[in-house]
Amino acid sequence: MNLLQRDRPGAPVPAAVAAGAEAGAEAVAAPPTAPNRLRRALAVSEAGVIAALAGLVLVFWLLEPAFLSGTNVRSMLTAVSFVGIIAIGQTLLLVAGEFDLSVGSVAGLSAIIAAWLMTKGNLPVPLGILGGLATGAFVGLINGVLVVHVRIPAFIATLGMLYAARGFIYVITNGYPIYPLPRSVGEIGSADVIFGLGWSFVLLVILAVIADVVLRRTTTGRNLYATGGNEEVARLVGIHTARVKIACFMVVGALAAVAGMLVLADGASGTPAIGTGWELTVIAGVVIGGVSLFGGVGTVAAGIVGMLLLQVVQSGLVVVGVNPNWQTVAVGLIMVLAVGVDIARRRMSLAGGAS
Amino acid sequence: MTHVLETERLGKKFAGVPALKGVDFRLHAGEIHALIGHNGAGKSTLVKILTGVWPAGSYEGAVKLDGAAVSFASPADARAKGVAYVPQEIQVVEQLTVAENLFVGHTGLDTAPRVSFRELRRRAAELLGRLEIPIDPRTSVAALSATQRQLVMIARALTTDPRVLILDEPTASLAGTETDRLFAVLNRLRAAGTTMVFITHRIPEVMRMCDRATVLRDGEKVAELERSDFSERGIVAAMVGREVDHLYPTRSSRHGEDEVLRLEHVSVPHPLHARDVLRDVSFSARRGEIVGIAGVVGAGRTELLSAIYGALPHTGTISVEGAPKRLKTPADARRAGIAMLTEDRKGTGLLFNFALRENITAGNLAGLSRGGWVDRRGEQSAALGFIRSLRIKAPSPSSDVAHLSGGNQQKILLARVLMNAPKLMLLDEPTKGVDVETRQEIYRLILDLADRGVTLLVVSSEIAELVGLCDRCVVLADGQIVDEFRRGEGSEARVIEATTTAVATGAPRP
């Protein structure tokens, strides 16, 4: 967990410094002024996107009250769960300064391998799940090593993996779904855990909370931000940036596997198409949430809110009765708009801070 | 008499700090004119004005070409009006041939929709033949040696038939015999009437090649010398100027006797070229000793610190407290009790996605966390402690670091280094770009740390600072130690002499 275990009691510290460090927390600072407070509120990365989400929900609800019906809300939350779980990992990876385009294929491959192990492999379901997770993590390891040690740009390395992993699915299945699966798999998929929502939503919430706390509160999280902020600086302060990045690739892979296997359970069938197209949905969503493509900026909470916003737009357009072909156009526009607003906001806060 | 190129009362300020103060620079037709000065003397500012990097309007005074005032809007404009520049760093496009490199980006050929490679080769061969440079224009640049590349760069600058050719330390990356070949070409150019400005740190080269010389110091012209007035001693004296004053706090204690750091035959290979940026360096430092590392930019100072810090691969042995250490990464060095302050605050120091507080604790969380959880209260009070003890002027620990002054940014990085509680501190240009008051605070901090038994290696371009502050100074030139002296034995003149008279192939002094 802690990548920086060093302890040297008795090493000299200037007395003035040590005394200062022990002195309490009564502030050097002047109380924040009003514009300062406003700027800080704007600077909370979640604030803008939460406001946008609330606004969109309101608009769709006013246009069509059925938008907030129990059924529609449940279907939106379920739909966002699968990609949302991957978005958690993608956020961590983006914060560390890399990204992964292979997540959809890895989700599919992990699901298919899990399904294969449970049927042709005659293994018990838990071992099948473990196999799926191991597949995801292993593919993440390969991605990480290619990017960090072989120094292939993440765009190329993970794009290659997108093709290779999808290809493996067809090698294994020959294009036919793996069916039937053990009954318990289908039961996991159709379980009503809470408010009519299944395991996918529950796992999304649990994993997102854990990842958000890790990123905000732990040394590991801090090392991720440092690595994504400036890899050379991170290296110079003693962080093993290669380990950090490879670990993130493995987490993304494992989370993609979780999402893929949840779809497997949901459909009770090992379909070769599982995960197709997810990579772009995930990146679009977290970027809308304000996670920077340049690394070092963003939170898991914001990434998830971004995913929700994307889902709300897609479902909302359908509920309101817009031709579904326009959905894709909307997603594209919103992503570009979100990043544009983000850049403008950052410029404003920089200009304001210069005073 | 009119001069080919001259400046009148040329001045330029950066953020209110003058870099150039009323310089009259005069260039006679057909001469090789040396431009000399230590780091920060104003050479590069002057050259940047003469080559249009700092456009007209961004400086005071006038630039005249053949007696008529000119204003350069950009480097391309300066080139079009007759001032060509050959940068110190060799910049060639490796994928292209010599002929293509000579005319890349130049007017005449690239205005046509199609490039005639035959015409390109013919003109390249003609130019190289005129300069008697024996390189086939069809050769790929990737296959050329450093001197050949340097010659290609000079030839490229000559494709526009300039009035004045400015050569920025053209010999910096060349060995002795290669320098001879370069000088032969320069002599031919002079014979053909080309006027040249020759920027160098090496006085022997000035004595050998140049007709006249201008010496800058602290942004002012302190000497304009004719060849008949040239003397090594005279040039060094002009570069040095004032004696060491009492700006530097003196140390009350003596350092310890036990060795904290020992380097034996340490070399650092150049990351790209087949030469060493640091060659066979051996020295040691004792507990609580302040060791200054002097030398010009590019002499291997930063590479020396980086090698000790595990940030650059090296050969040879580095021992800490008597035990040889494997220092492959900065993490290894930090475990061995070594910390480093970078010269490049913005590039390799500050994290701009972090607030002030997190910048201080970056890499120092081991003592501020339990089971991997960051103790945020502890982090806050540690940051407040440093803000108070180092007198960092910032609204709060959660301030943005991008808008703080250079001095305050430097204090944040110093706090980061201090928090690591090292026994050996490597400080690369600790007072670069900081205000006078902060400078004094940093000097006192260095002495305070030394009194407490921390060993410090301090790199600085301000020689007076090293001479005034350090117990011992090591002088580097071309990656080798060329001089070493104890407190009281050295002077600014001695350092400048050592750095400027070292010849590339010269052996280290005994």
Side-chain angles (χ1 to χ4, degrees):
Chain A
M1 192 85 162
N2 190 344
L3 300 174
L4 292 170
Q5 278 307 350
R6 277 170 301 105
D7 224 350
R8 282 193 319 283
V13 177
V17 169
E22 279 152 24
E26 73 269 56
V28 166
T33 55
N36 201 347
R37 212 176 296 145
L38 173 70
R39 207 157 54 226
R40 201 156 299 164
L42 282 174
V44 171
S45 49
E46 293 92 347
V49 67
I50 287 175
L53 176 64
L56 279 168
V57 169
L58 185 69
V59 168
F60 284 126
W61 177 67
L62 289 174
L63 289 171
E64 177 53 69
F67 177 72
L68 283 186
S69 71
T71 322
N72 196 47
V73 169
R74 268 195 297 277
S75 89
M76 281 194 292
L77 290 179
T78 303
V80 92
S81 297
F82 306 112
V83 278
I85 288 172
I86 302 180
I88 296 169
Q90 194 75 271
T91 300
L92 298 178
L93 185 61
L94 278 166
V95 164
E98 299 290 350
F99 61 92
D100 185 351
L101 290 176
S102 70
V103 288
S105 297
V106 174
L109 181 64
S110 307
I112 290 299
I113 285 185
W116 190 90
L117 290 174
M118 293 170 193
T119 52
K120 304 264 170 41
N122 280 320
L123 290 177
V125 170
L127 281 183
I129 293 173
L130 217 58
L133 278 175
T135 303
F138 180 69
V139 175
L141 175 66
I142 296 175
N143 279 335
V145 168
L146 287 178
V147 172
V148 172
H149 292 302
V150 189
R151 295 179 193 234
I152 300 172
F155 185 87
I156 298 300
T158 63
L159 184 63
M161 188 57 79
L162 181 154
Y163 280 99
R166 185 63 63 189
F168 268 117
I169 295 175
Y170 285 92
V171 168
I172 294 168
T173 63
N174 235 336
Y176 298 106
I178 296 180
Y179 182 83
L181 299 176
R183 185 152 7 110
S184 57
V185 174
E187 283 165 1
I188 296 172
S190 56
D192 172 355
V193 185
I194 187 169
F195 304 132
L197 293 160
W199 280 112
S200 55
F201 179 75
V202 174
L203 272 176
L204 169 70
V205 172
I206 293 172
L207 291 170
V209 168
I210 292 174
D212 194 72
V213 171
V214 165
L215 201 52
R216 280 178 209 266
R217 293 294 171 90
T218 67
T219 53
T220 307
R222 200 61 75 72
N223 290 345
L224 256 61
Y225 280 113
T227 302
N230 184 328
E231 189 172 357
E232 182 61 11
V233 174
R235 195 176 76 93
L236 289 176
V237 300
I239 295 169
H240 293 285
T241 54
R243 273 185 229 170
V244 166
K245 286 189 167 183
I246 291 176
C248 285
F249 272 109
M250 291 179 70
V251 168
V252 180
L255 290 177
V258 170
M261 289 187 290
L262 283 166
V263 173
L264 179 80
D266 194 57
S269 160
T271 319
I274 289 175
T276 307
W278 281 0
E279 52 282 335
L280 297 182
T281 312
V282 167
I283 290 182
V286 299
V287 165
I288 287 172
V291 180
S292 170
L293 277 177
F294 305 108
V297 174
T299 64
V300 172
I304 296 295
V305 174
M307 296 297 295
L308 276 172
L309 190 145
L310 207 55
Q311 187 60 48
V312 160
V313 170
Q314 286 179 322
S315 313
L317 291 176
V318 173
V319 170
V320 172
V322 176
N323 180 334
N325 295 336
W326 284 101
Q327 283 180 27
T328 315
V329 176
V331 170
L333 291 180
I334 289 170
M335 192 180 83
V336 174
L337 183 77
V339 174
V341 167
D342 187 50
I343 288 172
R345 192 190 59 174
R346 236 161 263 192
R347 214 174 276 154
M348 191 180 80
S349 96
L350 274 183
S355 59
Chain B
M1 137 173 223
T2 60
H3 305 281
V4 182
L5 183 68
E6 68 180 310
T7 70
E8 277 175 7
R9 294 184 305 284
L10 204 60
K12 177 151 180 76
K13 288 180 181 175
F14 292 101
V17 181
L20 217 51
K21 304 172 202 163
V23 169
D24 295 327
F25 179 68
R26 289 187 285 263
L27 209 50
H28 294 174
E31 69 173 348
I32 299 183
H33 190 112
L35 182 58
I36 313 170
H38 202 69
N39 298 331
K43 296 189 305 277
S44 62
T45 308
L46 174 60
V47 168
K48 280 177 178 167
I49 292 172
L50 295 180
T51 55
V53 174
W54 305 129
S58 70
Y59 54 84
E60 298 149 23
V63 177
K64 287 183 174 178
L65 204 56
D66 293 318
V70 285
S71 50
F72 300 137
S74 67
D77 188 33
R79 200 163 57 218
K81 287 173 177 159
V83 180
Y85 175 66
V86 181
Q88 182 183 353
E89 289 295 313
I90 294 177
Q91 295 167 348
V92 287
V93 186
E94 296 222 356
Q95 293 85 346
L96 299 183
T97 65
V98 170
E100 288 157 358
N101 261 285
L102 287 180
F103 294 98
V104 74
H106 280 223
T107 49
L109 286 172
D110 55 0
T111 48
R114 265 179 74 242
V115 176
S116 160
F117 285 96
R118 186 187 298 259
E119 170 70 4
L120 204 70
R121 272 200 300 279
R122 193 192 63 71
R123 288 176 56 168
E126 192 261 330
L127 178 66
L128 293 171
R130 187 152 48 92
L131 297 173
E132 297 176 45
I133 298 174
I135 302 175
D136 184 336
R138 288 168 301 185
T139 327
S140 163
V141 163
L144 299 185
S145 71
T147 328
Q148 288 175 316
R149 290 174 187 216
Q150 189 78 53
L151 293 173
V152 167
M153 297 232 318
I154 291 172
R156 177 164 75 193
L158 292 168
T159 54
T160 53
D161 286 325
R163 301 279 292 120
V164 176
L165 181 63
I166 299 178
L167 301 158
D168 195 349
E169 295 200 47
T171 59
S173 52
L174 305 184
T177 51
E178 298 183 304
T179 303
D180 292 344
R181 294 182 54 198
L182 174 75
F183 284 175
V185 171
L186 298 188
N187 274 325
R188 277 196 290 279
L189 277 176
R190 170 163 53 189
T194 307
T195 307
M196 284 171 273
V197 177
F198 185 89
I199 302 168
T200 185
H201 284 292
R202 297 172 180 161
I203 294 175
E205 294 180 355
V206 176
M207 310 280 288
R208 181 173 159 195
M209 287 299 294
C210 299
D211 303 298
R212 299 194 319 121
T214 293
V215 184
L216 296 181
R217 187 179 72 227
D218 297 333
E220 289 176 89
K221 182 173 86 176
V222 290
E224 185 174 337
L225 304 165
E226 301 292 327
R227 184 164 180 85
S228 51
D229 304 334
F230 278 5
S231 75
E232 214 164 83
R233 190 173 293 268
I235 295 174
V236 169
M239 289 173 76
V240 178
R242 68 183 142 82
E243 276 306 298
V244 179
D245 41 34
H246 299 288
L247 281 170
Y248 305 95
T250 45
R251 143 156 230 202
S252 52
S253 66
R254 274 193 51 78
H255 60 77
E257 285 306 315
D258 57 320
E259 216 167 71
V260 170
L261 176 73
R262 170 178 277 278
L263 272 71
E264 285 163 302
H265 309 296
V266 171
S267 293
V268 173
H270 191 284
L272 302 173
H273 305 297
R275 62 186 174 92
D276 287 342
V277 285
L278 203 66
R279 262 182 295 163
D280 196 23
V281 166
S282 303
F283 74 92
S284 61
R286 294 165 194 283
R287 191 170 308 284
E289 189 176 24
I290 309 172
V291 180
I293 314 285
V296 298
V297 173
R301 307 172 310 174
T302 298
E303 288 79 3
L304 173 62
L305 298 194
S306 299
I308 298 170
Y309 193 55
L312 270 185
H314 65 267
T315 59
T317 315
I318 299 176
S319 306
V320 178
E321 293 181 329
K325 295 278 179 189
R326 271 170 58 89
L327 302 171
K328 294 250 177 205
T329 64
D332 295 338
R334 291 166 68 92
R335 226 172 286 121
I338 305 171
M340 177 164 169
L341 178 79
T342 173
E343 169 198 23
D344 182 5
R345 278 199 289 278
K346 289 190 161 64
T348 59
L350 295 165
L351 284 162
F352 291 100
N353 59 332
F354 278 7
L356 188 163
R357 173 182 54 230
E358 285 82 11
N359 262 291
I360 290 177
T361 60
N364 295 318
L365 290 173
L368 280 176
S369 60
R370 189 161 293 202
W373 294 90
V374 177
D375 170 11
R376 301 218 291 180
R377 192 168 296 201
E379 191 178 21
Q380 174 80 0
S381 66
L384 279 169
F386 280 112
I387 287 176
R388 187 163 322 144
S389 63
L390 296 182
R391 301 203 288 140
I392 299 171
K393 292 185 196 75
S396 84
S398 44
S399 294
D400 193 352
V401 294
H403 307 304
L404 300 179
S405 72
N408 285 306
Q409 290 181 340
Q410 190 73 314
K411 286 177 176 178
I412 291 168
L413 294 181
L414 276 167
R416 183 193 287 168
V417 168
L418 289 171
M419 198 170 169
N420 193 35
K423 41 192 167 218
L424 172 63
M425 269 172 81
L426 312 171
L427 305 179
D428 198 353
E429 299 275 12
T431 60
K432 182 177 162 188
V434 307
D435 53 284
V436 181
E437 193 190 340
T438 306
R439 228 162 237 265
Q440 289 299 321
E441 290 174 359
I442 291 174
Y443 296 149
R444 272 193 294 273
L445 179 69
I446 289 173
L447 288 178
D448 187 37
L449 287 165
D451 285 344
R452 284 163 209 287
V454 178
T455 305
L456 297 110
L457 299 195
V458 183
V459 162
S460 176
S461 286
E462 300 219 4
I463 302 166
E465 180 174 291
L466 293 181
V467 171
L469 201 65
C470 298
D471 298 313
R472 192 152 56 86
C473 277
V474 170
V475 185
L476 286 179
D478 292 315
Q480 290 174 303
I481 295 181
V482 292
D483 196 5
E484 191 174 336
F485 55 82
R486 307 194 61 78
R487 183 193 291 281
E489 295 169 0
S491 64
E492 200 171 348
R494 178 168 173 172
V495 172
I496 287 187
E497 203 183 327
T499 55
T500 52
T501 57
V503 186
T505 50
R509 290 184 181 192

